[in-house]
Amino acid sequence: MQGLMMDYPLTLDRIVEHAGRLFPRNRIRSKLPDGGMHEYTYADLLCRSRRLAAALVGLGVEPGDRVGTFAWNHYQHLEMYFGIPGAGAVCHTLNIRLFPNQLAYIVNHAEDRVVFIDGSVLPLYEKVAGEVDCVEHYVLVNAARDIETRLPNVLHYEDLIDGVDDDFDWRSTDEQMAMGLCYTSGTTGDPKGALYSHRSMFLHTLGENQGTALGLTEADVVLAVVPQFHAMSWGLPFACTLAGAELIMPGPHLQPAPLAELIESYRVTVAAGVPSIWNGLYHELKTTPRDISCVRELVVGGSAMPRSLIEGYERDLGVNVLHAWGMTELSPLGTLSKLRREHQDLPAAEQWDVKARQGYPLGGVELRIVGEDGTVLPWDGETMGELQARGPWVIRSYFKRDPTPEHFTADGWFRTGDVATISPDGYMTITDRTKDLVKSGGEWISTVALESALMAHEQVLEAAVIAVPDEKWTERPLAVVVRTPEGDVSAEDLRTCLAVSFAKFEIPDQFVFVDELPKTSVGKFDKKVLRSCHAEGAL
Ligand code: AMP
């Protein structure tokens, strides 16, 4: 027997309509490239998103067409998040930090017909424009009127939507329509696209706003540091709009000092970014103290958050850290490390241990770990296996590619490529990427655990561990370390420090000290570059 409830399409226009009606006066603030603040309301967002959708239809954009964005976090980019899908098209966010050849590949592969470009990053896009053959219109955002460009068919954003009626009928009529496209950073092979539907993103928004997840309300002030070009800014634009939470978009101002100032001046309650951002902010606040205790959740994901930094934030700054794990392929939120009832009375140090894990799945996501032979492994907190996921906002196939066993199992799970353990109470801990694991003398060594321990040393700013070939043991770990500006820690000191919590065979034989670690376009340590530097003898 079938249920008798309405078949109400879960489309994103409903989210912005809800905000426009319920929270018309709640604010969205954006820090502009010149440092000034732009402010407007959810009523403005609704009105301008409708106008943008109408203008895109006017340009000839058809349902299913891909429309690219090459921009920082700001209000017009937010309008694109609603206006493009609202026109029935697909909002394809382009990472401004990609290498030119990857960027050209992605625009051509997606066949973007229109691309929106921030004036401040126009030169980055122009480098690849000659290799792109699908784009019919470019729309410049926040660009000077007299800006010079070699791009063809250029419009200015405000001209495009100026004078357009805001009584547009949304073209997102079916919840299964594609609404967004993000390519993964592609550490191996060509980048692959995750194509979200209205339904998957709507459900992800509800999932993110569960009380056991971010539980946003209109009392929150949310600083979205994570870029809109990385995994849909972790869904925050949609979650904030649904909740009417005040949203703060930092534009290009992602350095520690302006972030600290934004948090303090606007009394931010939830801020989300990758560990390297929060590492920078922590060191900034040590030299230039500010009161950021207004933050109720410092959300961090994208790479493992070192336990020492969780401790630093909580002990020194009174800020609660919420460690999250996710992937572009999961829209992106998969787990959050919230304390459970049984942890509430634990001493702080034990609570930090719990928070340093990647956490338990959001309602809506299922996880399992699987051995090399395909056996499903126990949740005992010790057995490591490949992490697999399924759920309504988990990918089932990459854009324009057939699902292959490399990424999808025959029984309907997505293979994340992460290696993890899961404790009996459901907390998942990432130990590695399958490709980053070190196998030494038949034993696995977790590079994530080593990095976290090294970064706990007060004279270490950043550390990455890679596997290097070894005749006797097959592979051995090598640590690449950035000292703090005043630090002079030696390899011997670090070895002694690791010996407290690691077995002898797990301790790296070699430590290389460098000034800076190479990072990927989304701010993660680029181990591929480190491995090739080592292979070429440059490390
Ligand atoms: P991306 O799709 O670029 O967001 O990358 C997803 C990958 O980032 C995951 O498969 C993990 O390897 C890694 N990742 C994300 N969050 C965490 C975390 N909290 N701890 C460790 N690794 C993480």
Side-chain angles (χ1 to χ4, degrees):
M1 187 186 284
Q2 299 272 295
L4 289 174
M5 307 311 277
M6 290 182 186
D7 196 5
Y8 176 93
L10 303 177
T11 51
L12 298 179
D13 49 277
R14 317 265 163 149
I15 293 183
V16 69
E17 289 284 346
H18 178 79
R21 173 149 296 235
L22 273 295
F23 314 113
R25 284 177 296 280
N26 294 12
R27 316 230 129 233
I28 297 160
R29 300 177 206 266
S30 312
K31 195 162 168 101
L32 301 170
D34 67 5
M37 288 302 284
H38 171 276
E39 276 187 37
Y40 76 177
T41 63
Y42 279 103
D44 297 320
L45 171 67
L46 171 61
C47 169
R48 285 172 52 99
S49 303
R50 284 201 196 129
R51 282 163 56 195
L52 173 61
L56 286 170
V57 172
L59 280 184
V61 168
E62 299 282 345
D65 282 350
R66 272 75 64 201
V67 173
T69 68
F70 195 68
W72 298 107
N73 291 15
H74 49 57
Y75 65 103
Q76 294 105 327
H77 206 172
L78 191 60
E79 292 158 12
M80 295 170 210
Y81 267 42
F82 288 104
I84 298 171
V90 180
C91 178
H92 173 206
T93 53
L94 295 161
N95 186 332
I96 61 170
R97 302 202 183 105
L98 283 177
F99 287 113
N101 60 343
Q102 278 194 334
L103 180 61
Y105 170 88
I106 288 174
V107 177
N108 286 326
H109 189 263
E111 298 173 87
D112 292 329
R113 287 190 61 202
V114 179
V115 176
F116 291 87
I117 304 178
D118 266 4
S120 60
V121 292
L122 178 61
L124 293 179
Y125 187 89
E126 280 180 325
K127 281 192 198 154
V128 308
E131 292 157 53
V132 167
D133 49 21
C134 47
V135 179
E136 293 159 39
H137 297 279
Y138 287 103
V139 184
L140 300 185
V141 188
N142 294 328
R145 283 268 139 213
D146 55 356
I147 196 162
E148 285 191 12
T149 173
R150 287 176 285 121
L151 298 183
N153 299 337
V154 172
L155 295 158
H156 282 262
Y157 187 85
E158 294 302 329
D159 297 345
L160 176 70
I161 65 169
D162 189 38
V164 179
D165 274 348
D166 63 8
D167 61 352
F168 179 74
D169 282 332
W170 299 109
R171 293 202 167 179
S172 34
T173 46
D174 172 357
E175 65 177 19
Q176 294 294 355
M177 284 167 80
M179 62 66 52
L181 177 63
C182 286
Y183 282 74
T184 57
S185 27
T187 43
T188 48
D190 285 329
K192 298 182 288 298
L195 185 66
Y196 312 120
S197 65
H198 280 264
R199 175 186 155 82
S200 69
M201 198 49 77
F202 197 115
L203 291 171
H204 179 267
T205 307
L206 296 178
E208 183 158 320
N209 265 350
Q210 295 171 72
T212 47
L214 296 193
L216 298 177
T217 71
E218 63 173 328
D220 281 305
V221 181
V222 178
L223 176 66
V225 183
V226 52
Q228 287 186 262
F229 55 73
H230 181 205
M232 304 308 279
S233 192
W234 298 350
L236 289 171
F238 302 117
C240 288
T241 305
L242 186 67
E246 180 167 324
L247 185 53
I248 305 209
M249 306 294 236
H253 306 279
L254 302 180
Q255 308 72 17
L259 290 179
E261 194 190 315
L262 281 175
I263 295 175
E264 191 180 44
S265 355
Y266 293 104
R267 313 301 301 151
V268 166
T269 61
V270 175
V274 293
S276 52
I277 291 275
W278 299 140
N279 194 10
L281 181 71
Y282 179 74
H283 287 280
E284 160 80 18
L285 293 174
K286 272 191 148 177
T287 47
T288 318
R290 282 177 184 273
D291 180 11
I292 67 155
S293 59
C294 46
V295 175
R296 72 169 173 89
E297 304 282 14
L298 188 85
V299 187
V300 54
S303 306
M305 177 72 162
R307 183 194 176 286
S308 52
L309 203 50
I310 297 176
E311 180 177 338
Y313 268 99
E314 303 216 345
R315 196 195 46 214
D316 305 341
L317 303 168
V319 167
N320 178 49
V321 174
L322 180 53
H323 193 188
W325 166 86
M327 298 183 75
T328 303
E329 290 90 335
L330 270 84
S331 305
L333 264 191
T335 65
L336 286 165
S337 205
K338 283 230 166 173
L339 294 183
R340 298 260 273 274
R341 197 171 4 179
E342 61 270 31
H343 303 127
Q344 301 298 339
D345 299 326
L346 290 179
E350 288 176 43
Q351 293 190 344
W352 299 329
D353 290 340
V354 176
K355 291 180 176 190
R357 303 180 195 162
Q358 277 69 13
Y360 58 91
L362 304 190
V365 173
E366 262 185 83
L367 296 179
R368 68 180 186 186
I369 44 172
V370 174
E372 276 171 299
D373 59 357
T375 351
V376 176
L377 300 171
W379 290 18
D380 58 12
E382 283 172 16
T383 313
M384 282 198 264
E386 186 195 31
L387 185 66
Q388 302 186 349
R390 67 177 180 186
W393 57 84
V394 178
I395 192 165
R396 70 176 153 81
S397 185
Y398 287 102
F399 183 49
K400 292 194 195 165
R401 284 173 186 243
D402 290 330
T404 61
E406 189 193 349
H407 300 293
F408 303 95
T409 68
D411 60 347
W413 293 71
F414 168 62
R415 302 181 61 184
T416 66
D418 285 332
V419 180
T421 62
I422 304 181
S423 66
D425 52 359
Y427 282 79
M428 185 270 288
T429 305
I430 299 271
T431 52
D432 246 305
R433 293 284 300 158
T434 38
K435 297 178 195 77
D436 293 343
L437 272 171
V438 184
K439 195 159 199 185
S440 173
E443 297 283 346
W444 295 112
I445 300 177
S446 163
T447 62
V448 174
L450 284 170
E451 288 159 5
S452 199
L454 287 169
M455 285 191 272
H457 194 288
E458 59 181 14
Q459 293 179 35
V460 173
L461 195 59
E462 290 179 335
V465 176
I466 53 166
V468 295
D470 184 272
E471 258 178 40
K472 182 165 174 202
W473 303 107
T474 318
E475 283 179 347
R476 290 292 302 147
L478 169 120
V480 191
V481 176
V482 182
R483 296 187 182 102
T484 54
E486 56 295 340
D488 65 352
V489 65
S490 68
E492 211 32 61
D493 299 335
L494 292 177
R495 236 174 248 127
T496 314
C497 158
L498 291 178
V500 177
S501 36
F502 288 86
K504 209 160 161 239
F505 80 93
E506 292 176 302
I507 299 178
D509 309 314
Q510 286 183 66
F511 291 80
V512 180
F513 294 93
V514 294
D515 292 337
E516 213 183 337
L517 283 175
K519 308 249 167 57
T520 67
S521 58
V522 291
K524 305 180 192 201
F525 300 149
D526 198 335
K527 296 195 178 183
K528 203 170 63 161
V529 171
L530 288 175
R531 278 191 285 265
S532 60
C533 287
H534 182 267
E536 289 158 12
L539 265 187

